Amino acid sequence: MRLKLEISPDLAALMQAEIAAGEKAVTTAMREAGTGLKSAWRGQITGAGLGTRLGNSIRLATYPKGGESLNAAALVWSNAPVIVGAHDTGPLIRSKNGFWLAIPTPAAGKSTRGGRITPGEWERRTGLRLRFIYRRRGPSLLVAEGRLNSNGRAVASRAKSGRGLTTVPIFLLMPQVRLRKRLDLARDAEQAIDGVPGRIVAGWHQV
């Protein structure tokens, strides 16, 4: 007696199809989670008033670069990790040399190199000398004898008589400052991670 066993449909083909479905579901879920997290982080940054330029420093890469895999992954990061990280943690900032942090007032204007202007750059640009004023209460000051122009910036007085000359606070001097925490990146990251299993299951069932 001969027995012939046939499995219909093909079990190997079914298993291969199921693996392919899983690869597609996992890869799609990771790409969607990464895209959502990138968008959420950018939204946090711009919503905190930190600007679209810093928001656009958030980038996304998904793996594999081509094709699909059960080990698919997504990586979201910032090209400006120090700045973004500072606003995410709210660190205590001290002067590198142990003296004062010079915080420019609106009268100081902006640096020609971008960012905050330093006392040295301000003196070179205006030709005015800064004078130190110690205060027991509140921050000490660096002031200059000049006038305010139409933009509210301190400049040298052109009047030989000294008319319009005034003492203008240019920098506030602080021993340390705590940067206000303005972001919560971990919250969005945890939400993205928690949503991955549901995305995989939903995508797998649709295949």
Side-chain angles (χ1 to χ4, degrees), residues 11-12 35 72 92 104 136 147 157 183 195:
L11 183 58
T35 299
L92 184 67
R136 294 182 63 183
R147 64 180 180 86
S157 175
L183 305 173

Side-chain angles (χ1 to χ4, degrees), residues 2-207:
R2 294 182 178 180
L3 296 176
K4 185 178 181 182
L5 178 63
E6 293 184 359
I7 300 177
S8 181
D10 189 333
L11 183 58
L14 283 175
M15 291 299 297
Q16 188 59 44
E18 193 66 16
I19 292 174
E23 290 175 338
K24 182 176 182 179
V26 172
T27 302
T28 300
M30 294 309 301
R31 287 173 179 168
E32 290 177 348
T35 299
L37 181 57
K38 181 184 76 171
S39 177
W41 279 5
R42 286 186 173 185
Q44 269 205 61
I45 292 171
T46 56
L50 300 176
T52 56
R53 183 176 180 181
L54 186 61
N56 289 337
S57 74
I58 303 299
R59 302 299 176 87
L60 165 67
T62 55
Y63 305 93
K65 293 295 186 180
E68 297 166 341
S69 171
L70 290 173
N71 295 318
L75 175 64
V76 182
W77 77 97
S78 171
N79 282 339
V82 175
I83 299 175
V84 172
H87 288 292
D88 187 42
T89 59
L92 184 67
I93 302 175
R94 295 185 175 91
S95 172
K96 293 181 180 179
N97 55 23
F99 291 101
W100 304 93
L101 291 172
I103 303 173
T105 67
K110 296 182 179 180
S111 172
T112 56
R113 297 172 295 180
R116 291 182 174 179
I117 190 170
T118 64
E121 181 186 354
W122 189 89
E123 287 187 330
R124 290 191 298 271
R125 190 182 69 186
T126 63
L128 297 174
R129 298 293 295 176
L130 291 167
R131 179 165 55 89
F132 174 75
I133 296 180
Y134 174 76
R135 298 197 301 175
R136 294 182 63 183
R137 294 184 178 181
S140 296
L141 304 173
L142 287 178
V143 303
E145 306 303 321
R147 64 180 180 86
L148 293 177
N149 64 14
S150 59
N151 294 322
R153 296 181 182 178
V155 295
S157 175
R158 293 184 295 233
K160 294 182 180 180
S161 64
R163 183 179 179 182
L165 196 66
T166 185
T167 300
V168 183
I170 308 300
F171 292 91
L172 305 179
L173 299 178
M174 305 282 289
Q176 62 187 29
V177 295
R178 181 172 293 280
L179 190 65
R180 181 167 62 90
K181 178 177 171 61
R182 304 172 75 176
L183 305 173
D184 189 353
L185 303 183
R187 177 197 64 202
D188 289 341
E190 290 172 0
Q191 290 177 352
I193 293 171
D194 291 344
V196 168
R199 290 180 183 272
I200 294 175
V201 172
W204 206 321
H205 287 171
Q206 293 175 4
V207 176

